[in-house]
Amino acid sequence: MEEIIAHIVKDLFDVDVDIALTRPDPEFGDYASNVALQLAGRLQKNPREVATAIAEKLKEQSAVASAEVAGPGFINIRMSGRTLAEEIQSLWSDTYGSSDDGAGKTAVVEYPSPNMAKPYSVGHLRSGNQGWAARQLLRATGWNVITDNHLGDYGAPLGIWITGFTHFSSDEALAKDGVYELGRVYIETRQALKDEEARGESALADEVQSWLLKFENGDEEAKAYSKRFNEISLAHIHGVMDRLKISTDHELGEAFFAPRGKDAVNKLLGSGIAVQNEDGSVIVPLDDYGFDVPLLVQKSNGAALYATTDLATILYREREWRPHKVVYSVGSEQQFYFSQLFAMAKKLGITADLTHLWFGFINQRNEDGTVGKMSSRKGVVLMEELLDQAEERARAVVEGRDVSEEDVKKISLGAIKFSDFMADRRTDILFDWDTIFALKGFSGPYVQYAGVRVARILSEHGQGVALQEGYDYEPEKAVIAQLLEYPDVVRRAAEHLEPHRIATYVYELARELNRYYEATPVAMGDVDESTKQARLGVLAKAHQVLTHGLDLLGIEIPSKM
Ligand code: ARG
């Protein structure tokens, strides 16, 4: 309805407005709008005149049963339940909400791209959530989607790991604590390197360099270490991704692209896009793209940098997949870097739409009331601990009920993931356990519960009929109106890669369903069989849309909660 009014206003007065409808007393109508009052000043017109013009147009809409001007310029709108029901039935299919807008086009979506040296932390949670949602939205709108986990598996860490392991760790410790031991060793070694530097010594630092050199020269011992550490780290990363229920088609990390970087840099030099400095380093000047700072693509010693591997990645994807769109799900702190990288890509003649799907930080409220980056007493919050804690919370939510472990996991993920989509991804998240599990709030579990409830009704009473002869669908109007909006919401969410639009939508649908049950007995009391079947038919549609919408966010509906 909001959309329709916005269109009418645009046609009549050529202005864009955001329409927020209210729900008046049913005696006056199903919806009320004060848009005419808002507009009158802007248009220098009498509000009643504006309202009358809009109301006349509204009446031409098949779904609108009546539109009346009231008071100083309110518009009360009454919908036709029957027309809405017929309309949704005509649009209905098993894939309602999906479209083929992106048919014939390929998108590469990159997430969660964690770094190998450390245990998976909450720092890569949003990349996975947002990246997965982007994948889902693009697939639902017909794109051919290729996903890639761009692992941070290249560079100094290996030298630090090996040196650190030989000094500060042991086979037993590694066998016992795996990636956490590697993470600990990494931190301890970094500290030892700092201390050593402060003392003006370099024995340890030399060892780091010599291991790196050995590795580059194919030394067997260094290769064996690398393989062992990588296996531990990768198994851990995959374990966390499995728990998060995300996966990718490919896993081409920085280490895969580093050797290809040299060629790419040489090509840039050959074509004059890049310039070599006297010290041997290579830069790409970007002043013609409005950047004072050039992009450094090769160190003076010839070593590959982050940008070198990304350059090679862009060329590789272009050659292998010919994407129309490439989506990088990476935090806001890399915005400047990606704007430089994309400018360089333009210079190279890349025409694909390169999108930095950036998002804000995950913050927490500290005990002293201040807001800061999410952390624990031990430092960064580890994903495995966060997931354990979430499962504990979920278990508490369903306490005393016979709910399976699998459902507990679905609820915990529902809570965590939904919190990523509560607002525009660019805003920071204020992580709070009570809010994300609030069964009465804007939360994943609230929406999941609506799904469980509707599924239970359907399993007890059947799926009803799609469109009941002779039934007016008056009590179902608001639910059906909400269902009718879904395809547009998906389309817009996919176009802007804004999954929060889906989260808001499913929440509103859940709320609409709850309102509906309060007012309308579906299968209780003296509801006659034909009415019951009609009502169940609407609920079956709502269930399909809730499931589809949550699936776009990577959230499943538990079987019980
Ligand atoms: N591993 C990087 C990090 O954690 C993210 C990689 C992003 N992708 C890219 N193509 N640069 O910061």
Side-chain angles (χ1 to χ4, degrees):
M1 201 68 235
E2 272 103 344
E3 280 295 299
I4 296 176
I5 300 180
H7 262 296
I8 290 177
V9 168
K10 178 87 183 168
D11 279 353
L12 285 173
F13 308 111
D14 198 29
V15 289
D16 291 301
V17 279
D18 265 336
I19 308 287
L21 295 174
T22 51
R23 294 294 214 69
D25 193 301
E27 159 189 353
F28 299 114
D30 300 316
Y31 296 107
S33 169
N34 65 359
V35 62
L37 298 168
Q38 273 177 53
L39 279 176
R42 236 165 105 187
L43 299 169
Q44 307 235 334
K45 285 196 161 98
N46 175 326
R48 275 195 72 97
E49 241 171 68
V50 175
T52 307
I54 297 172
E56 285 310 309
K57 287 278 172 201
L58 271 170
K59 285 183 200 159
E60 293 168 14
Q61 299 286 326
S62 59
V64 174
S66 73
E68 305 295 341
V69 179
F74 293 105
I75 309 169
N76 288 329
I77 305 158
R78 211 178 281 286
M79 316 282 282
S80 155
R82 179 76 203 174
T83 316
L84 292 178
E86 283 168 7
E87 191 174 339
I88 193 126
Q89 187 53 34
S90 73
L91 299 170
W92 199 253
S93 75
D94 284 350
T95 55
Y96 180 73
S98 299
S99 69
D100 54 7
D101 295 358
K105 291 192 284 186
T106 295
V108 176
V109 185
E110 189 198 273
Y111 57 85
S113 314
N115 301 318
M116 299 277 270
K118 310 163 192 164
Y120 206 125
S121 82
V122 75
H124 285 88
L125 174 58
R126 297 205 75 183
S127 171
N129 290 343
Q130 295 288 335
W132 184 262
R135 165 199 196 259
Q136 295 293 82
L137 284 168
L138 290 168
R139 281 168 62 130
T141 46
W143 288 75
N144 167 37
V145 182
I146 300 171
T147 54
D148 189 16
N149 187 6
H150 192 78
L151 293 169
D153 53 0
Y154 175 75
L158 179 65
I160 295 180
W161 267 346
I162 305 180
T163 306
F165 180 73
T166 55
H167 284 267
F168 311 121
S169 186
S170 64
D171 289 334
E172 297 76 55
L174 191 59
K176 184 164 156 283
D177 292 331
V179 75
Y180 295 100
E181 175 64 5
L182 288 178
R184 189 193 65 72
V185 164
Y186 185 77
I187 291 167
E188 185 174 343
T189 313
R190 290 269 297 232
Q191 188 57 47
L193 284 164
K194 255 192 220 154
D195 296 347
E196 173 186 83
E197 200 185 340
R199 291 196 305 272
E201 295 165 13
S202 70
L204 215 51
D206 293 343
E207 256 182 69
V208 171
Q209 283 313 313
S210 101
W211 276 116
L212 277 179
L213 206 66
K214 276 193 197 170
F215 180 70
E216 300 217 337
N217 294 331
D219 174 81
E220 288 304 325
E221 197 185 359
K223 266 172 38 190
Y225 272 124
S226 163
K227 186 160 172 275
R228 185 167 163 202
F229 296 158
N230 276 337
E231 275 169 8
I232 291 173
S233 200
L234 261 186
H236 164 73
I237 288 170
H238 292 155
V240 172
M241 287 174 68
D242 284 350
R243 282 185 78 177
L244 287 169
K245 300 213 178 159
I246 59 173
S247 59
T248 59
D249 306 325
H250 299 273
E251 206 158 55
L252 302 172
E254 291 171 25
F256 174 80
F257 292 109
R260 292 169 162 78
K262 269 228 164 64
D263 274 353
V265 169
N266 285 336
K267 227 198 247 166
L268 290 195
L269 282 169
S271 63
I273 291 174
V275 196
Q276 187 141 33
N277 293 323
E278 268 169 33
D279 66 358
S281 60
V282 179
I283 56 166
V284 176
L286 296 169
D287 34 357
D288 43 343
Y289 281 80
F291 293 96
D292 303 339
V293 208
L295 186 60
L296 185 63
V297 291
Q298 188 173 297
K299 280 211 253 190
S300 55
N301 66 3
L305 291 152
Y306 190 45
T308 324
T309 55
D310 264 327
L311 166 65
T313 308
I314 288 174
L315 296 173
Y316 177 89
R317 289 174 178 161
E318 186 71 12
R319 203 179 54 237
E320 296 293 318
W321 299 324
R322 301 227 152 265
H324 297 78
K325 193 192 221 15
V326 182
V327 179
Y328 297 78
S329 179
V330 186
S332 58
E333 63 281 10
Q334 292 189 33
Q335 273 188 83
F336 182 70
Y337 168 71
F338 278 112
S339 58
Q340 281 194 312
L341 186 72
F342 296 169
M344 177 178 73
K346 279 225 177 76
K347 283 192 121 169
L348 284 166
I350 304 287
T351 54
D353 164 27
L354 305 180
T355 301
H356 179 198
L357 188 83
W358 61 276
F359 39 80
F361 295 110
I362 304 182
N363 292 329
Q364 67 185 14
R365 194 175 299 284
N366 298 317
E367 267 157 36
D368 63 1
T370 57
V371 170
K373 229 173 156 173
M374 193 176 185
S375 64
S376 75
R377 264 176 211 92
K378 285 172 279 172
V380 289
V381 175
L382 302 174
M383 261 330 288
E384 295 201 294
E385 286 177 8
L386 186 87
L387 289 170
D388 290 345
Q389 238 175 311
E391 283 169 22
E392 226 167 275
R393 292 263 174 175
R395 228 168 265 130
V397 165
V398 297
E399 213 197 302
R401 267 163 284 166
D402 167 33
V403 173
S404 70
E405 264 310 286
E406 200 185 319
D407 281 345
V408 163
K409 292 198 166 92
K410 287 180 184 170
I411 298 164
S412 65
L413 282 183
I416 288 193
K417 291 187 181 185
F418 198 86
S419 73
D420 222 288
F421 307 118
M422 297 225 281
D424 186 296
R425 62 181 150 75
R426 300 160 192 93
T427 50
D428 293 345
I429 290 177
L430 186 59
F431 191 92
D432 172 60
W433 285 112
D434 292 333
T435 315
I436 71 174
F437 278 98
L439 277 173
K440 291 210 170 78
F442 182 24
S443 75
Y446 175 85
V447 182
Q448 284 176 317
Y449 186 72
V452 169
R453 188 172 176 187
V454 78
R456 193 173 55 217
I457 298 172
L458 295 170
S459 79
E460 271 173 34
H461 302 282
Q463 303 284 315
V465 294
L467 186 68
Q468 184 69 287
E469 208 59 46
Y471 182 64
D472 64 9
Y473 290 94
E474 278 301 304
E476 288 73 32
K477 281 192 293 204
V479 171
I480 302 175
Q482 182 75 15
L483 294 176
L484 277 167
E485 281 177 27
Y486 186 58
D488 258 352
V489 173
V490 176
R491 189 165 277 144
R492 224 146 339 116
E495 190 185 328
H496 304 286
L497 294 178
E498 290 180 344
H500 74 280
R501 292 168 185 265
I502 303 291
T504 305
Y505 175 87
V506 288
Y507 170 73
E508 282 171 0
L509 177 57
R511 216 178 36 182
E512 209 55 82
L513 281 169
N514 287 336
R515 266 198 212 117
Y516 172 67
Y517 303 132
E518 261 171 47
T520 315
V522 177
M524 290 177 302
D526 53 2
V527 177
D528 65 77
E529 189 56 25
S530 147
T531 302
K532 173 175 155 184
Q533 293 304 326
R535 292 178 175 171
L536 288 169
V538 174
L539 290 186
K541 288 188 169 74
H543 182 255
Q544 185 181 316
V545 168
L546 266 185
T547 308
H548 189 276
L550 284 172
D551 182 54
L552 291 177
L553 306 178
I555 298 173
E556 294 171 283
I557 298 177
S559 57
K560 265 192 199 165
M561 72 185 281

